[in-house]
């Protein structure tokens, strides 16, 4: 018996040693395994669809009416997993990597114009045979999705602004407004230090993400830093489209605004401005979160979003 216990102890030590080695030495491989397990635990499967723009990666799970989750600039589909974990119980959920972002191949600079991103989103919806969806979107993704909802309202059953959208000027200047006025681009990552600083901009309470995943995502952003800087300029300086606020009066579908009190990117004063402009909107201001509430407070976001969806007539 004593010999068996010693063998088990040695085996456990070797296993732990291998795991630690993989954690530290092979972060990309470990990250992929951890992401796979987390997706699976949330009822999501990673998939790929071919489009006019090449392969597009997405997560899918659940059954029922479709909720399409659309991320912001430099973000990725995995940022929706904790919210999707609650949604898949009663809904068919798809979380995209927008073309040119996440696990998708980079695009030519001009393909990041907001008008072209709207067309890209439609390409993906068509490739996935999505006729009509509930859209939940964040930041730049909310702007792109608003453009789509304006052009194709028949495809959007409801719209949820999950976190503040790009395209809503706020009465009170945000920290990001001040930084941009001084020539800064705090969300553009060109070094590992930038990656950490950018996360502080996005969230007052950074949620835990395993080290291998953070290191892998940071390395990917640093490697494409110059490209990302150009994307920022294309989106913010070269996109000649109406603002979300200008388009809002045309959006007659039921809408939900979830805006965080501590958002440093777009000041919370914009929430009421948007609510007054949308014809059929509900609004909730959340405490203790920043620009990405689906990461900061996924349970609170899920509870409010599910309440909103439950008020809608069945499609």
């Amino acid at each position: 018996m004593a010999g068996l216990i010693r063998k088990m102890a040695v085996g456990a030590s070797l296993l732990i040693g291998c795991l630690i080695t993989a954690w530290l030495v092979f972060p990309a491989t470990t990250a992929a395994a951890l992401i796979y397990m987390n997706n699976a635990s949330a009822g999501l499967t990673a998939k790929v669809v071919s489009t006019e723009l090449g392969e597009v990666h997405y997560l899918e799970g659940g059954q029922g009416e479709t909720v399409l989750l659309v991320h912001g600039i430099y973000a990725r589909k995995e940022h929706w997993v904790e919210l999707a974990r609650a949604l898949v119980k009663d809904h068919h959920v798809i979380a995209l990597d927008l073309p040119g972002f996440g696990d998708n191949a980079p695009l030519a600079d001009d393909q990041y114009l907001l008008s072209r991103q709207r067309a890209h989103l439609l390409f993906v919806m068509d490739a996935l045979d999505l006729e009509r969806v509930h859209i939940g979107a964040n930041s730049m993704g909310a702007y792109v999705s608003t453009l789509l909802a304006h052009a194709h309202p028949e495809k959007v059953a409801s719209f949820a602004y999950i976190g503040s959208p790009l395209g809503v000027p706020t009465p009170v200047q945000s920290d990001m407004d001040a930084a941009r006025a001084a020539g800064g681009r705090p969300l553009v990552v060109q070094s590992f230090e930038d990656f950490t600083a950018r996360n502080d901009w996005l969230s007052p309470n950074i949620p835990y993400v395993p080290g291998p995943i953070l290191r892998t995502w940071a390395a990917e952003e640093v490697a494409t830093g110059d490209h990302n800087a150009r994307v920022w300029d294309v989106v913010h300086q070269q996109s000649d489209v109406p603002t979300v606020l200008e388009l809002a009066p045309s959006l007659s579908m039921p809408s939900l605004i979830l805006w965080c009190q501590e958002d440093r990117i777009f000041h919370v004063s914009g929430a009421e401005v948007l609510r007054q402009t949308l014809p059929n909107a509900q609004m909730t201001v959340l405490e203790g979160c920043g620009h990405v509430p689906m990461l900061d407070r996924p349970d609170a976001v899920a509870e409010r979003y599910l309440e909103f969806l439950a008020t809608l007539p069945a499609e």
Side-chain angles (χ1 to χ4, degrees), residues 290-304:
H291 189 54
V292 284
M294 65 283 196
L295 288 176
D296 292 354
R297 298 197 59 197
D299 292 342
V301 171
E303 180 180 6
R304 185 65 187 92

Side-chain angles (χ1 to χ4, degrees), residues 18-298:
C18 290
L19 291 173
I20 292 173
T21 299
W23 190 277
L24 297 175
V25 180
F26 305 108
T29 301
T30 306
L34 292 172
I35 289 170
Y36 172 84
M37 290 187 289
N38 194 50
N39 291 344
S41 74
L44 299 170
T45 302
K47 298 183 178 181
V48 179
V49 63
S50 296
T51 75
E52 298 179 31
L53 300 159
E55 291 188 336
V56 170
H57 293 252
Y58 65 101
L59 299 174
E60 183 174 27
Q63 294 182 338
E65 295 181 9
T66 299
V67 176
L68 180 64
L69 300 173
V70 186
H71 64 71
I73 195 168
Y74 312 134
R76 55 191 304 129
K77 60 188 180 299
E78 286 81 11
H79 292 174
W80 296 106
V81 169
E82 295 311 309
L83 172 58
R85 188 183 298 277
L87 299 180
V88 296
K89 297 174 184 177
D90 298 300
H91 298 85
H92 172 224
V93 178
I94 292 178
L96 298 176
D97 274 340
L98 284 169
F101 293 98
D103 291 327
N104 300 327
L107 301 175
D109 292 355
D110 63 352
Q111 294 301 311
Y112 293 91
L113 291 166
L114 291 172
S115 59
R116 295 192 179 178
Q117 290 202 59
R118 180 203 69 188
H120 299 169
L121 183 56
L122 184 59
F123 290 157
V124 176
M125 289 181 65
D126 288 346
L128 293 172
D129 294 323
L130 299 178
E131 294 294 329
R132 188 167 165 85
V133 299
H134 301 278
I135 290 182
N138 174 258
S139 196
M140 181 201 74
Y143 201 156
V144 172
S145 299
T146 297
L147 292 167
L148 175 77
H150 171 74
H152 299 280
E154 74 283 357
K155 288 188 169 292
V156 183
S158 72
F159 199 121
Y161 293 92
I162 300 178
S164 57
L166 174 64
V168 177
T170 61
V172 178
Q173 185 184 57
S174 70
D175 291 347
M176 176 59 70
D177 291 334
R180 289 184 62 190
R185 294 181 295 188
L187 300 190
V188 178
V189 169
Q190 294 185 298
S191 69
F192 286 92
E193 292 75 19
D194 288 346
F195 185 82
T196 299
R198 193 270 305 282
N199 289 345
D200 290 338
W201 272 91
L202 294 177
S203 171
N205 302 296
I206 298 294
Y208 172 74
V209 177
I213 296 177
L214 276 182
R215 291 197 299 275
T216 299
W217 286 349
E220 290 173 355
E221 285 206 54
V222 171
T224 57
D226 292 342
H227 167 78
N228 289 341
R230 297 194 305 272
V231 169
W232 177 272
D233 291 339
V234 169
V235 168
H236 291 88
Q237 299 177 18
Q238 300 175 34
S239 292
D240 184 17
V241 291
T243 67
V244 167
L245 210 55
E246 291 169 333
L247 295 171
S250 72
L251 305 184
S252 60
M253 69 284 297
S255 300
L256 174 66
I257 302 165
L258 293 176
W259 204 304
C260 290
Q261 185 69 43
E262 294 88 350
D263 193 330
R264 298 181 64 197
I265 309 303
F266 302 117
H267 192 270
V268 68
S269 59
E272 179 61 21
V273 174
L274 181 58
R275 186 196 67 78
Q276 292 182 8
T277 309
L278 286 165
N280 187 13
Q282 302 176 32
M283 183 182 81
T284 297
V285 174
L286 296 172
E287 303 282 345
C289 52
H291 189 54
V292 284
M294 65 283 196
L295 288 176
D296 292 354
R297 298 197 59 197

